[in-house]
Amino acid sequence: MTLIDTDNIPAPGKADAALPGHDQAVSPHVQVLVDRCAGCHECLVRCPTAALSLDPVTWTVVADDAACVGCRQCVRTCPFSAIVVEGPQLVASRVTIAVHHPDRLAHDHSETRVGIATWAEALAEANRCLDCPDPTCVRGCPAHNDIPGFIREIRAGNLDKAHEVLRRTSVLPDVCSRVCDQALQCEGSCTWSLGNGAPVAIGALERFVSDNAPVPPIQPSARAAGTEVAIVGSGPAGIAAASELASAGAKVTVYERDREAGGLLRWGIPDFTLPDAVARRPWETLQAAGVELELEHRIEASDIDELTARFDAVVIAAGASMPLRLPVPGGDLEGVWDATRFLTEAHDALASGKDLEVLRRGATLERDSEEGDERGAGRSGPAPTVLVLGAGNTAMDVARSARRFGAKAICVDWMDRQFAPVRPDELEEAATEGVEVRFSTTVQKLEGAGGHVTYAHLARTSQKNAGELPKVLSASTFIEPVDLVVMAMGYRIAPEVAEVAGAVPVAKAVADIPDRRWLGSGILANPSPDFARHQPVGRLALGRDHVRVIAGLPRRERVWVAGDSLVGPSTVVEAMAQGKRAAESIIHHAPRRPGRPRSATRTRVLVAVESRGGKTASVAAELAQQLATRAADVKILPMKDVSAAQLAWADSLVVATWVEGLVIAKVGPARATIEWMESLPAIGGMPVALLCTYAVSPGRTLRIMRETLERRGGKVLAEVAISRRLPEPRRAEALGAAASALTPTPPRHG
């Protein structure tokens, strides 16, 4: 549906305004160092303005300064440092997004960030996008939204199409556009940002689309018809998993321990950041699609076996619900709360127009009085003081909520301001609303009267660099009268979740050399863009993508884990992306609980081979042929090339290696095989066949392999040791038995 006259929309291309501070008459200049240029085309295929071409004689790059906008994508992608770009970025100024702070904060929970207001602003910002051939913004987005695609639809004046593009990868575009830290994700990875300029306001454009286009209903297909799935947790990861599964026709039941669905979206983010109507939308859509929601139904670790007996698959998507508490004297006094309790009670009180009872202790709030300070509530006594321990997003939410009840809000964080991972916009908004934030400050003890906290003993700290813990300066202490102390320093995974999920949290890091496609994109070339607060956006994106892939692997048989349960406290968009990936894996493998008929699909078998002289590879190829005749789709890869994504593709795994070591004594799997097996992620319940080739004796090779893979969650169904002198008929018989052991098994953990 076209909503505006597209004839008047400016065509995308070279912007006609330079960044502020640049002379518009100055154009970028591209210098190609021909002695370094190898004619590899890396820069040429990624230049968004076709400013580069190839000289057919010298096979080196030729630049056209007139077409260059100075984005420096070519500089970042050249593997030989053969290109230098001088001059400004030629791009229009970024749209200014208004922030609304009410004149009187008292009980006002209206939205603070108002977003892009007009089509003209949206089009102006959309036309700043270069529509890059290899868009780094997509890599920076944890959900891999097609950012150039939805912006392209905005330029065409079609909000419905733009919304459709977003909804392919995101079930929460209206939420994510409000709560994402875009500077460390999509916008920090924008090609303008990587060139240390102002990126496209991707988050604001995403919000413009999702706020102005209706949420489409879920229209189920038959891809997962017959699959029954239980999801534990109704937050972002659970929402995404439920949406993906319901869209594929699966029967989904979600268990939520609280009285309302939504998890963090409902209780953890105040209305002035995420309006209640927006937070409720996902569950309104899911329930309309037939997703069953069991509220106030707590699932314990001991209940998982019962769920796997009743359902074909289970997704653990519970949030990190255990608040971190600072172990200080007086921490058990009345009036010392955690952020969850405060935000939950504050949310309910603001929604009903009531005062927060705990804050009546230090002052009498008179909300309707004409007296009082300009931004706080009117009051007849001194304002109560809320001390918030922490200065992150949650702490800012607590402090800003406290201000809406007329309280004085003080946040303390023991880190130095320059090293603290705090969003500048959060700090600015909090300061505008009267929140006092003290960095390099910590609590030594809390003091009370009548069992209730009354004073906080604070101390200054010192921190010289980001890599060291702050030191408490015992000589620099002072006392702060307080009425309420809220610990808002973060959360951790509950022990019962760790009991089910295994070795969690999974680290958001990639230890080995990044995939060539990531290196070639240029996202890793600028380690700390200015706009991204000098954070390593490329490495952060790579780590997030690693755990997104891991979410596609079950942690135990027919049990997947996503979101906070997998990686610890994470962002909304990360949890959503992982929940979606877990659901995609369930749809892909179509698991069935024992006793249920399975769908007639071919078994997918991954053969991972370590072969020194080619003998093992040859035998593995024979096994692959046997598997193919038994209705299996087979991939054979060297072990070093097997990624988590390939493991997630497979229903079964064959590990093939040669025997290394001294004759008879101390023989075992090749060292490279041992290292590979020990580096594997959890492969919960995956059927495995072991294959080794040997000259004299296999020794303990198969036993070592079995024990190692069982520790990773594999289910070893067959073991074959092949001697070089084994006659062909006996070898074929042994390989056939291994193939038979894998192929009759249900496609995944049935």
Side-chain angles (χ1 to χ4, degrees):
M1 179 175 65
T2 301
L3 301 180
I4 62 172
D5 181 5
T6 56
D7 291 338
N8 296 320
I9 300 175
K14 188 170 180 179
D16 57 8
L19 283 174
H22 286 305
D23 182 353
Q24 289 182 242
V26 178
S27 295
H29 170 61
V30 183
Q31 181 181 5
V32 179
L33 307 177
V34 294
D35 57 327
R36 294 185 181 180
C37 180
C40 66
H41 293 70
E42 292 281 6
C43 61
L44 190 149
V45 299
R46 290 182 174 86
C47 176
T49 61
L52 300 175
S53 59
L54 204 65
D55 186 321
V57 177
T58 63
W59 208 248
T60 57
V61 171
V62 177
D64 178 7
D65 285 355
C68 178
V69 294
C71 71
R72 290 161 173 79
Q73 180 74 341
C74 55
V75 176
R76 292 187 294 276
T77 58
C78 178
F80 305 106
S81 301
I83 303 181
V84 177
V85 177
E86 298 174 338
Q89 292 182 339
L90 299 185
V91 58
S93 298
R94 179 180 163 106
V95 67
T96 300
I97 309 296
V99 177
H100 163 71
H101 292 286
D103 292 334
R104 291 175 56 81
L105 283 179
H107 290 78
D108 189 317
H109 53 97
S110 58
E111 194 168 7
T112 303
R113 302 165 195 167
V114 297
I116 290 177
T118 67
W119 260 108
E121 289 179 336
L123 289 172
E125 190 59 32
N127 277 306
R128 297 180 71 246
C129 177
L130 290 169
D131 199 0
C132 300
D134 186 356
T136 46
C137 58
V138 174
R139 296 184 187 276
C141 171
H144 291 331
N145 288 341
D146 181 5
I147 293 166
F150 94 80
I151 292 178
R152 204 178 301 128
E153 295 298 343
I154 293 176
R155 287 199 293 241
N158 198 325
L159 282 182
D160 286 345
K161 281 285 189 180
H163 205 192
E164 179 185 326
V165 172
L166 281 169
R167 289 273 170 179
R168 291 172 192 162
T169 49
S170 173
V171 70
L172 300 169
D174 46 358
V175 174
C176 292
S177 59
R178 285 170 163 84
V179 304
C180 274
D181 187 356
Q182 284 95 0
L184 300 188
Q185 297 175 155
C186 55
E187 294 183 15
S189 305
C190 171
T191 193
W192 292 123
S193 175
L194 294 175
N196 285 330
V200 175
I202 298 167
L205 290 173
E206 181 181 17
R207 175 173 170 176
F208 182 79
V209 171
S210 58
D211 281 0
N212 290 286
V215 178
I218 292 175
Q219 297 178 334
S221 68
R223 290 184 301 143
T227 303
E228 299 178 6
V229 184
I231 299 174
V232 181
S234 67
I239 289 170
S243 179
E244 189 72 16
L245 288 162
S247 297
K251 182 180 179 182
V252 182
T253 303
V254 178
Y255 296 92
E256 171 55 55
R257 66 178 184 175
D258 291 334
R259 67 180 186 274
E260 290 188 81
L264 172 76
L265 305 184
R266 293 286 297 120
W267 61 260
I269 306 176
D271 281 11
F272 52 78
T273 296
L274 181 65
D276 189 66
V278 177
R280 289 180 182 274
R281 277 181 203 161
W283 275 108
E284 291 170 354
T285 303
L286 288 170
Q287 288 184 286
V291 173
E292 295 183 12
L293 180 61
E294 297 283 346
L295 295 173
E296 297 184 279
H297 193 139
R298 188 182 185 94
I299 298 294
E300 305 289 352
S302 57
D303 299 324
I304 299 302
D305 288 341
E306 189 266 338
L307 285 182
T308 55
R310 289 174 49 210
F311 293 90
D312 299 315
V314 176
V315 179
I316 307 297
S321 58
M322 297 288 290
L324 296 175
R325 293 186 69 90
L326 192 64
V328 296
D332 57 349
L333 287 167
E334 185 182 344
V336 180
W337 290 13
D338 60 61
T340 302
R341 180 181 178 185
F342 182 89
L343 289 170
T344 302
E345 295 198 16
H347 179 276
D348 292 345
L350 285 172
S352 60
K354 297 179 180 179
D355 293 327
L356 199 59
E357 289 298 321
V358 69
L359 297 181
R360 287 183 175 274
R361 177 179 178 84
T364 301
L365 304 181
E366 297 178 354
R367 176 164 49 92
D368 298 325
S369 171
E370 294 299 325
E371 300 177 358
D373 69 40
E374 183 180 346
R375 291 198 168 275
R379 47 186 164 267
S380 59
T385 298
V386 177
L387 179 67
V388 185
L389 308 187
N393 295 347
T394 301
M396 294 301 110
D397 287 341
V398 169
R400 293 175 65 191
S401 296
R403 290 290 296 135
R404 281 158 172 78
F405 294 103
K408 176 182 178 182
I410 303 171
C411 293
V412 297
D413 192 300
W414 75 332
M415 295 187 72
D416 189 287
R417 169 66 187 91
Q418 63 180 318
F419 306 129
V422 182
R423 288 175 54 173
D425 58 335
E426 292 271 9
L427 282 179
E428 183 179 349
E429 290 170 11
T432 301
E433 294 178 356
V435 175
E436 182 182 349
V437 183
R438 303 175 186 172
F439 290 98
S440 300
T441 305
T442 191
V443 175
Q444 288 192 308
K445 69 175 182 177
L446 300 172
E447 184 181 335
H452 193 286
V453 67
T454 54
Y455 294 100
H457 293 252
L458 306 177
R460 300 289 296 170
T461 62
S462 174
Q463 185 182 21
K464 294 182 179 179
N465 58 68
E468 69 175 18
L469 292 176
K471 296 179 181 179
V472 179
L473 304 177
S474 56
S476 179
T477 61
F478 53 99
I479 298 175
E480 186 74 49
V482 296
D483 298 284
L484 180 69
V485 175
V486 181
M487 295 192 179
M489 300 166 295
Y491 299 86
R492 63 183 176 87
I493 299 173
E496 58 266 28
V497 173
E499 183 181 337
V500 174
V504 292
V506 174
K508 290 186 280 188
V510 178
D512 54 1
I513 298 173
D515 184 282
R516 179 69 188 84
R517 289 167 295 183
W518 280 80
L519 288 171
S521 73
I523 192 174
L524 297 166
N526 182 352
S528 54
D530 296 344
F531 187 85
R533 307 195 294 276
H534 305 286
Q535 295 297 305
V537 290
R539 283 287 170 183
L540 291 174
L542 194 60
R544 290 191 298 260
D545 200 56
H546 170 68
V547 294
R548 184 186 67 86
V549 174
I550 293 295
L553 287 163
R555 303 296 291 178
R556 52 187 280 190
E557 192 165 352
R558 293 188 290 114
V559 177
W560 280 256
V561 181
D564 292 358
S565 297
L566 181 65
V567 299
S570 57
T571 64
V572 170
V573 66
E574 290 176 67
M576 180 193 71
Q578 292 165 28
K580 186 175 189 296
R581 183 67 190 91
E584 289 170 343
S585 181
I586 293 170
I587 296 166
H588 175 72
H589 294 292
R592 290 291 185 269
R593 59 188 182 272
R596 288 204 69 207
R598 48 161 295 193
S599 57
T601 57
R602 293 173 65 87
T603 302
R604 292 167 283 255
V605 183
L606 175 64
V607 182
V609 182
E610 166 59 26
S611 183
R612 177 70 61 88
K615 178 64 176 179
T616 306
S618 175
V619 175
E622 290 182 45
L623 175 57
Q625 290 177 345
Q626 295 260 18
L627 287 163
T629 63
R630 289 170 168 80
D633 292 329
V634 186
K635 273 186 189 177
I636 304 179
L637 291 172
M639 282 182 188
K640 63 181 180 62
D641 294 336
V642 173
S643 66
Q646 274 126 12
L647 288 169
W649 167 85
D651 297 313
S652 304
L653 175 66
V654 175
V655 181
T657 187
W658 55 286
V659 173
E660 184 176 15
L662 301 174
V663 175
I664 300 179
K666 296 182 179 180
V667 297
R671 183 176 299 275
T673 301
I674 294 175
E675 292 174 354
W676 179 80
M677 291 188 299
E678 290 177 343
S679 71
L680 286 175
I683 53 172
M686 179 180 282
V688 180
L690 307 178
L691 170 65
C692 74
T693 60
Y694 66 94
V696 178
S697 169
R700 299 167 56 247
T701 299
L702 292 174
R703 192 179 86 184
I704 292 171
M705 294 171 71
R706 180 178 67 253
E707 291 173 350
T708 304
L709 289 168
E710 285 177 346
R711 286 197 297 271
R712 309 313 298 163
K715 184 190 293 184
V716 178
L717 301 182
E719 301 177 16
V720 182
I722 301 292
S723 167
R724 296 176 183 174
R725 296 185 295 274
L726 190 67
E728 174 69 27
R730 289 184 58 192
R731 184 172 69 194
E733 181 182 353
L735 294 176
S740 297
L742 290 181
T743 46
T745 305
R748 181 70 151 207
H749 324 307

